[in-house]
Amino acid sequence: MWGNDNYLPVPGEEKNLDADFSNSKAITTEPYNQYENIRLSSLYSEDSSPPGSRPGPYLADGRRRVDYVLTYPIQKPGSVRRRSSRFADNTIIRRLRRSLSMRSSRAPLQPKEDPEVAAQDQQVNYHEDDKRFRREEFEENLLEMGLELEKDEGASISGIGFLKIHAPWKVLCREAEFMKLKMPTKKVYEVKQGSNVVEKIRLFIHKVTTPLHPNVEANRLQSVKPLSHPFSREKQHLFDLSDRDKFFDSKTRSSIVYEVLKRTRCTRAKYTMGITSLLGNGVYTAAYPLHDGDIEGGSSEANDRKLLYEEWASYSVFYKYQPIGLIRKYFGEKVGLYFAWLGVYTQMLIPAAIVGVIVFLYGCATVDDDIPSMEICDPRNNITMCPLCDRACSYWKLSTACGTARASHLFDNPATVFFSIFMALWAVIFMEHWKRRQMRLNYIWDLTGFEEEEDHYRADYEFRVMQKTLRQEHATPKGEKVKLTCTDRMPAYLTTIVMMGFMISVTFAIVFGVILYRISIKAALHISSYPAARSNIRATVKTTAAIINLIVIIILDEIYAVIARWLTTLEVPKTDKSFEERLIFKTFILKFVNAFTPIVYLAFFRGRLVGRPGNYLYVVGSYRMEECAHAGCLMELCIQLCITMLGKQLIQNNLFEIGIPKLKKLMKWKSEMDSQEEEERNRTLERHAKDHFLGPFVGLSPEYMEMIIQFGMVTLFVASFPLAPLFALLNNIIEIRLDAKKFVTELRRPIAVRAKDIGIWYNLLRGLSKVAVIINAFVISFTSDFIPRLVYQYTYSPDGSMHGFVNHTLSYFNVSDFQKGTDPLQPEHLGYKVDMCRYKDYREPPWSSTRYELSKEFWAILAARLAFVIVFQNVVMLMSDFVDWLIPDIPKDISLQIHKEKILMVELFMKEEQGKRLAARDNLNQDNCTASPSANQSPLQPRSRPASHVNTSNC
């Protein structure tokens, strides 16, 4: 947005400096009030019912509903304000423009006043007058568009003025026709439920789960449905207009007014400004539709908002379905689709969570039968391992890793492979289920033929086009439309590429810093003199590193969101839709890299860039790259996923959404009023003033982004953490009610936006589900020991069992081959001299002719791992495509109902046309009968027939 210094100021001698604020207000509002009185009288003469006063979102007469509210700043009573002449004709505009070049010589200062302070004060007054002029012009244009306005300046909240907007019936009809709004007609038809097996199962489930459905009318299955048709003033007889006040609901009325506001322009200034430009420049400070009423207190009237609060936004109904129909009716299709998608996602998590728990319990039940972990825990094997770090670390017994080995089996067992295949198919079924659910909602909400129209231009884009027009005023041919090209945006695109690359590099650098922390803290704990610190080194290092990663992820998430918005603003997208899609894409990339870089490192890189004893890989001088435990890195990957997932859900999703807004509200109340004053305010203020204290609606992107990242956590690395669906399910149960309460009680009512799908988010989900298959294949084959165990059991085991697997995975190292300065400081830490130590790798022993080279077992296992990735990926992808083909995108009963609607609509119009032809034929016969006697009596008057035809048709 651009600053206030872009406005045209009012020169000093054109102001009346002796007028006070009250006089200025009286003068500026006088023409408006006269115009409004005319509108009020005309409205009452048109409607039959007399005006009356009633509580709620209505104008002062108590009859006309407030469809939209604009707020603007006003000077508080008692302060001095310079009065300006009315900015009403072209003469004054020309004088204002001429004054721009003479500003310095036409603003005299007081002799004893600080020149700098006086100049700043004068500049502020110029801008305030300019804003007032623009408001007056904009409001006059709104009146010309047919809207009815009412002002509330300072009566409700000091220093804030409210412009209440009402759309009369004629405006609603006109705009509904322009917007092609589908409205229900008088014609209704019976909705027949599907007769196939799937639909019968669905109806059976619906009957069984009847107690779980909310007690609202909009969510019940309807046996009849009215035909819907785009509203037309010429075909008003098709619609039931017996109650005009309820024909257009509050959501539709506010969206109609918003469309009028977006089309209305201020054109008297240097460049045109719409409502978005006026809001961005502070001419108006807020714009919002009103909530239906209060939600608490026995005196509050029954309304949709109160019903949503009781049946949706309460934690006591967490086990019930959401009232999606009522959500759509109150907030619009876009918000309704988000909560419908969130509900479908949460429902689909139930079977995934159950299977995940079963896999985990299987690991718990078979841990005592796992031969490799039993061999690790058996002290009789007496396997001496090589040091985990240089100098500070000494030799250690493999049996000390018993706990890690047993815990790894909980997540690294044969059931994990089955669960990975299950989750890949689950993701496909979830996407197909959502497509069917979305199509059903499109049918119920009359969106089957809806096509999004081109959106209005954004304020930033209009301003940049205006600047380019002024620069090329003489170079551009007359009549050619000026627009921003790729050349104009090239600096912004280059900035985006550089900044995105830099932010991703920052993420990598921080992950590398955490790696150095793990290496250094491990060495420090090994040389610590405290027994407690030396006893649980691995657990301490893993947990603290995971917590540090979590804190960094949460902090960078907030920073990246700001940077992504800044970069998108630099690109100056043409429309709001383009802005939103670009912002989503940048934010997703940055947050995805931020959340998953530590996890990807643990899964695929840790323990593979190590080297071997005597020839380790070092970074940043003397830092030796860290190794995995003998049971693999899967356990550390599980810990990182668990802490990241739970931490983001508890801290970022819940604490930030609940705690910080409540803290801000508490601090605001403490600074402004005590609790009694606040209660008095809620009791006395009107609806538009109460809604002003609510938070602004910032869009659905943050809500979607939380769930997309969570979906990635659930699907991408599910092979290492089968409890992820369970944690996601528990979080979403809370998240739904938390978001519901936020929408109903803490946010201003959003503009109802029509949408038939969830947009770019579906493509992101589908991409994640495809990538999840590949990542899980690599996790199973390279991160876990599943493939090495299979290769050993069927190739190298003498009896076909897993006995001897641990010894098979360990290589030998002669301690005399340590590099100088890397051998342990305490070589006899175990109580005896060590000549040979073991390390996890497939390498030749020191007595071989190719000592410490990769053995043939390594290459055999690598080939098996790559083969598994190829087979797993192709088999699962094939199964996914088969499921996708098997499940149709459109339910069969919905397809039949849509076809039936088209036939009934054609029949309705055919009957209407037939009726018109019969009426025209009757009129023609009547005219012929009337014209025959006239023709016999006065044949010299051939023009009498057309005259009689006109009179008859009028009658």
Side-chain angles (χ1 to χ4, degrees):
M1 299 298 177
W2 55 94
N4 291 333
D5 53 352
N6 294 317
Y7 291 110
L8 295 173
V10 182
E13 63 260 30
E14 291 180 6
K15 293 185 178 183
N16 185 353
L17 303 179
D18 298 329
D20 59 10
F21 170 78
S22 58
N23 291 335
S24 174
K25 177 179 177 181
I27 290 174
T28 57
T29 58
E30 185 178 3
Y32 165 82
N33 290 333
Q34 291 175 357
Y35 194 90
E36 174 120 353
N37 290 336
I38 295 174
R39 287 210 164 271
L40 289 172
S41 61
S42 65
L43 179 69
Y44 294 147
S45 62
E46 181 181 340
D47 294 341
S48 58
S49 56
S53 178
R54 56 173 168 167
Y58 298 94
L59 298 182
D61 59 358
R63 297 182 65 259
R64 295 172 298 162
R65 183 182 182 89
V66 178
D67 300 315
Y68 214 85
V69 171
L70 301 178
T71 67
Y72 52 91
I74 58 175
Q75 285 188 297
K76 296 182 180 180
S79 61
V80 178
R81 178 181 179 183
R82 296 183 177 92
R83 192 184 71 192
S84 305
S85 58
R86 179 94 174 158
F87 179 59
D89 53 36
N90 293 330
T91 304
I92 295 179
I93 299 173
R94 287 194 295 269
R95 290 171 62 193
L96 285 172
R97 291 181 174 174
R98 287 198 305 268
S99 68
L100 285 174
S101 60
M102 305 171 61
R103 185 183 307 172
S104 58
S105 61
R106 298 175 68 177
L109 303 174
Q110 297 297 329
K112 295 184 180 180
E113 195 172 13
D114 185 357
E116 185 176 355
V117 175
Q120 291 177 356
D121 182 58
Q122 192 176 40
Q123 186 75 5
V124 169
N125 283 307
Y126 290 166
H127 292 323
E128 290 302 319
D129 287 320
D130 189 35
K131 290 179 183 180
R132 183 163 55 85
F133 292 153
R134 292 183 186 277
R135 280 199 299 269
E136 290 170 359
E137 182 194 351
F138 187 70
E139 290 160 13
E140 289 176 0
N141 292 339
L142 291 180
L143 290 171
E144 291 177 2
M145 294 292 290
L147 298 178
E148 298 176 359
L149 313 178
E150 182 179 278
K151 283 189 174 180
D152 178 4
E153 292 192 344
S156 300
I157 303 175
S158 178
I160 298 177
F162 295 90
L163 179 67
K164 296 180 282 186
I165 304 174
H166 168 76
W169 174 254
K170 291 182 179 179
V171 175
L172 293 174
C173 294
R174 182 191 70 208
E175 297 299 324
E177 185 173 351
F178 291 166
M179 296 169 64
K180 301 177 182 178
L181 294 180
K182 271 191 171 183
M183 304 301 295
T185 63
K186 298 177 183 177
K187 176 72 174 179
V188 296
Y189 67 96
E190 183 181 359
V191 178
K192 294 183 178 180
Q193 303 299 332
S195 57
N196 57 4
V197 178
V198 176
E199 294 305 319
K200 288 182 178 179
I201 294 175
R202 189 182 67 85
L203 291 176
F204 174 76
I205 294 175
H206 188 275
K207 291 180 181 179
V208 171
T209 58
T210 299
L212 302 180
H213 290 275
N215 188 24
V216 294
E217 189 67 28
N219 252 50
R220 292 170 185 162
L221 289 176
Q222 302 295 330
S223 58
V224 294
K225 183 180 183 293
L227 277 177
S228 295
H229 185 264
F231 186 83
S232 172
R233 287 172 289 182
E234 295 180 355
K235 300 182 182 299
Q236 289 192 26
H237 58 279
L238 296 177
F239 305 94
D240 184 9
L241 304 180
S242 57
D243 189 351
R244 291 185 173 184
D245 291 338
K246 294 182 179 179
F247 183 73
F248 295 106
D249 56 17
S250 59
K251 173 254 302 180
T252 306
R253 296 175 68 98
S254 62
S255 62
I256 287 175
V257 173
Y258 182 63
E259 285 295 320
V260 177
L261 292 176
K262 288 198 295 185
R263 286 207 316 270
T264 307
R265 292 285 187 269
C266 294
T267 58
R268 295 177 184 172
K270 194 173 182 180
Y271 57 93
T272 61
M273 296 180 69
I275 183 61
T276 53
S277 304
L278 296 174
L279 287 168
N281 287 272
V283 178
Y284 292 102
T285 55
Y288 52 90
L290 297 183
H291 282 292
D292 277 357
D294 294 321
I295 55 176
E296 296 177 347
S299 59
S300 60
E301 293 182 344
N303 55 73
D304 289 340
R305 187 190 184 196
K306 187 174 183 179
L307 187 58
L308 282 172
Y309 180 75
E310 295 171 351
E311 296 292 335
W312 181 48
S314 174
Y315 291 107
S316 61
V317 294
F318 74 92
Y319 60 92
K320 287 189 175 183
Y321 291 102
Q322 299 180 88
I324 298 299
L326 187 60
I327 296 170
R328 173 256 179 178
K329 178 186 175 184
Y330 192 76
F331 292 109
E333 286 79 5
K334 193 169 185 178
V335 176
L337 280 174
Y338 164 70
F339 283 103
W341 172 84
L342 184 56
V344 170
Y345 173 48
T346 304
Q347 289 176 12
M348 290 295 294
L349 281 173
I350 295 175
I354 293 173
V355 176
V357 171
I358 293 174
V359 170
F360 178 75
L361 293 178
Y362 171 82
C364 295
T366 59
V367 67
D368 291 331
D369 300 327
D370 183 49
I371 295 175
S373 60
M374 291 171 60
E375 290 182 347
I376 293 175
C377 296
D378 190 356
R380 295 174 296 178
N381 289 330
N382 196 27
I383 298 176
T384 303
M385 303 296 293
C386 295
L388 296 174
C389 61
D390 292 342
R391 304 295 288 172
C393 304
S394 185
Y395 306 106
W396 55 284
K397 291 287 188 180
L398 181 60
S399 58
T400 58
C402 176
T404 304
R406 291 173 63 88
S408 296
H409 179 75
L410 302 179
F411 307 100
D412 186 5
N413 54 69
T416 304
V417 181
F418 159 75
F419 190 55
S420 299
I421 299 174
F422 170 82
M423 287 303 295
L425 298 178
W426 172 88
V428 176
I429 294 174
F430 162 61
M431 302 298 291
E432 292 300 315
H433 179 39
W434 166 245
K435 282 196 293 186
R436 291 170 62 86
R437 173 67 171 157
Q438 184 175 259
M439 197 62 213
R440 188 175 296 277
L441 291 177
N442 284 340
Y443 163 72
I444 296 173
W445 296 348
D446 297 319
L447 294 171
T448 49
F450 170 71
E451 294 293 338
E452 292 187 7
E453 298 178 357
E454 186 176 355
D455 202 355
H456 296 276
Y457 292 163
R458 298 184 66 251
D460 283 358
Y461 183 82
E462 290 180 341
F463 179 63
R464 288 286 297 274
V465 169
M466 182 272 300
Q467 287 182 323
K468 184 176 180 180
T469 304
L470 294 178
R471 289 196 305 266
Q472 302 177 356
E473 190 171 358
H474 302 291
T476 305
K478 189 175 181 181
E480 183 178 342
K481 190 174 181 181
V482 178
K483 61 181 180 179
L484 297 184
T485 61
C486 291
T487 306
D488 300 322
R489 294 189 173 99
M490 189 57 65
Y493 290 154
L494 293 177
T495 304
T496 298
I497 294 173
V498 172
M499 285 298 298
M500 294 281 285
F502 175 72
M503 290 296 103
I504 293 174
S505 301
V506 167
T507 302
F508 291 162
I510 291 175
V511 171
F512 183 70
V514 176
I515 295 172
L516 298 183
Y517 160 80
R518 275 201 292 256
I519 297 171
S520 57
I521 199 67
K522 184 185 296 183
L525 291 176
H526 271 288
I527 62 176
S528 174
S529 57
Y530 294 100
R534 296 171 60 92
S535 60
N536 295 306
I537 294 177
R538 286 185 179 273
T540 304
V541 172
K542 294 174 188 175
T543 306
T544 55
I547 293 174
I548 292 173
N549 273 324
L550 170 65
I551 295 173
V552 170
I553 288 171
I554 292 175
I555 294 174
L556 288 183
D557 268 355
E558 302 302 318
I559 297 174
Y560 287 167
V562 176
I563 292 176
R565 180 169 290 275
W566 172 66
L567 292 175
T568 308
T569 304
L570 285 181
E571 295 176 3
V572 197
K574 183 183 292 186
T575 62
D576 288 331
K577 182 180 180 182
S578 176
F579 181 91
E580 184 181 20
E581 289 181 349
R582 295 185 186 202
L583 176 62
I584 289 170
F585 182 72
K586 295 181 183 66
T587 308
F588 173 75
I589 290 179
L590 291 176
K591 291 194 173 185
F592 183 85
V593 171
N594 182 38
F596 288 97
T597 299
I599 299 171
V600 170
Y601 165 74
L602 288 174
F604 303 124
F605 295 98
R606 184 178 176 182
R608 288 168 179 81
L609 304 174
V610 178
R612 60 170 179 82
N615 188 23
Y616 283 113
L617 176 65
Y618 293 90
V619 293
V620 195
S622 59
Y623 286 93
R624 194 180 102 186
M625 289 299 290
E626 52 188 347
E627 304 176 42
C628 290
H630 182 271
C633 287
L634 203 66
M635 189 61 197
E636 295 188 32
L637 178 60
C638 175
I639 293 174
Q640 180 67 58
L641 270 169
C642 181
I643 292 179
T644 302
M645 193 171 183
L646 291 178
K648 281 178 66 68
Q649 292 176 355
L650 293 176
I651 298 175
Q652 197 171 33
N653 298 359
N654 296 332
L655 181 62
F656 283 8
E657 291 187 10
I658 300 176
I660 292 180
K662 288 188 178 295
L663 184 62
K664 287 181 179 179
K665 186 180 291 186
L666 181 63
M667 294 174 63
K668 186 177 181 181
W669 287 351
K670 290 292 184 183
S671 61
E672 292 182 356
M673 60 189 74
D674 57 22
S675 59
Q676 293 183 353
E677 290 177 344
E678 196 271 330
E679 292 178 3
E680 182 67 21
R681 184 197 72 183
N682 285 337
R683 188 165 55 251
T684 57
L685 286 183
E686 296 184 32
R687 180 76 266 152
H688 61 273
K690 291 180 181 178
D691 286 3
H692 178 75
F693 287 98
L694 300 177
F697 175 70
V698 295
L700 291 169
S701 294
E703 315 297 336
Y704 271 116
M705 191 64 68
E706 293 174 12
M707 295 296 107
I708 295 295
I709 297 297
Q710 184 199 87
F711 182 81
M713 294 280 184
V714 169
T715 56
L716 292 181
F717 294 92
V718 73
S720 60
F721 190 39
L723 294 180
L726 176 63
F727 290 152
L729 174 64
L730 297 177
N731 172 79
N732 288 3
I733 292 174
I734 301 173
E735 181 76 17
I736 289 175
R737 306 303 163 180
L738 179 65
D739 286 345
K741 195 167 187 179
K742 182 172 65 176
F743 271 77
V744 174
T745 64
E746 298 176 5
L747 296 180
R748 295 172 188 161
R749 190 174 183 178
I751 300 295
V753 179
R754 289 186 295 170
K756 62 187 303 181
D757 53 43
I758 60 176
I760 192 175
W761 300 109
Y762 180 82
N763 297 330
L764 293 177
L765 287 168
R766 196 166 186 84
L768 283 176
S769 63
K770 298 292 185 183
V771 173
V773 177
I774 302 173
I775 289 184
N776 280 298
F778 276 95
V779 168
I780 294 171
S781 60
F782 285 91
T783 308
S784 72
D785 281 339
F786 179 73
I787 300 300
R789 293 187 183 193
L790 284 181
V791 173
Y792 174 78
Q793 185 174 2
Y794 294 104
T795 306
Y796 299 104
S797 175
D799 56 356
S801 67
M802 292 303 296
H803 290 287
F805 171 74
V806 173
N807 187 64
H808 178 74
T809 60
L810 298 177
S811 298
Y812 289 90
F813 178 74
N814 192 331
V815 298
S816 61
D817 294 333
F818 272 120
Q819 290 181 349
K820 186 177 180 181
T822 61
D823 55 322
L825 292 174
Q826 300 177 350
E828 297 186 5
H829 170 71
L830 297 177
Y832 55 88
K833 184 180 179 181
V834 177
D835 296 322
M836 288 283 182
C837 64
R838 310 291 296 273
Y839 62 99
K840 187 177 181 181
D841 205 347
Y842 292 95
R843 291 183 180 270
E844 297 292 342
W847 55 81
S848 173
S849 58
T850 55
R851 55 189 308 191
Y852 306 133
E853 294 294 327
L854 295 173
S855 63
K856 62 179 181 179
E857 289 85 356
F858 171 84
W859 299 109
I861 292 174
L862 178 62
R865 283 172 164 167
L866 294 176
F868 176 83
V869 169
I870 296 172
V871 172
F872 182 89
Q873 174 186 339
N874 285 278
V875 169
V876 174
M877 289 288 189
L878 183 63
M879 294 172 65
S880 301
D881 292 340
F882 176 73
V883 171
D884 192 359
W885 170 80
L886 191 64
I887 303 176
D889 294 344
I890 304 177
K892 188 175 181 180
D893 63 317
I894 297 299
S895 179
L896 294 175
Q897 298 295 349
I898 293 174
H899 182 66
K900 183 178 180 179
E901 271 195 357
K902 292 180 180 179
I903 295 176
L904 291 175
M905 189 60 67
V906 170
E907 291 178 355
L908 180 64
F909 283 112
M910 291 297 292
K911 288 181 180 179
E912 184 183 2
E913 290 297 323
Q914 186 178 2
K916 286 182 180 179
R917 287 197 300 268
L918 291 175
R921 187 184 305 168
D922 292 342
N923 289 336
L924 183 61
N925 294 334
Q926 186 177 358
D927 292 343
N928 291 334
C929 295
T930 307
S932 298
S934 301
N936 295 331
Q937 295 175 5
S938 54
L940 298 177
Q941 296 179 356
R943 296 184 179 180
S944 61
R945 180 172 177 176
S948 64
H949 172 74
V950 172
N951 293 335
T952 305
S953 62
N954 288 339
C955 294

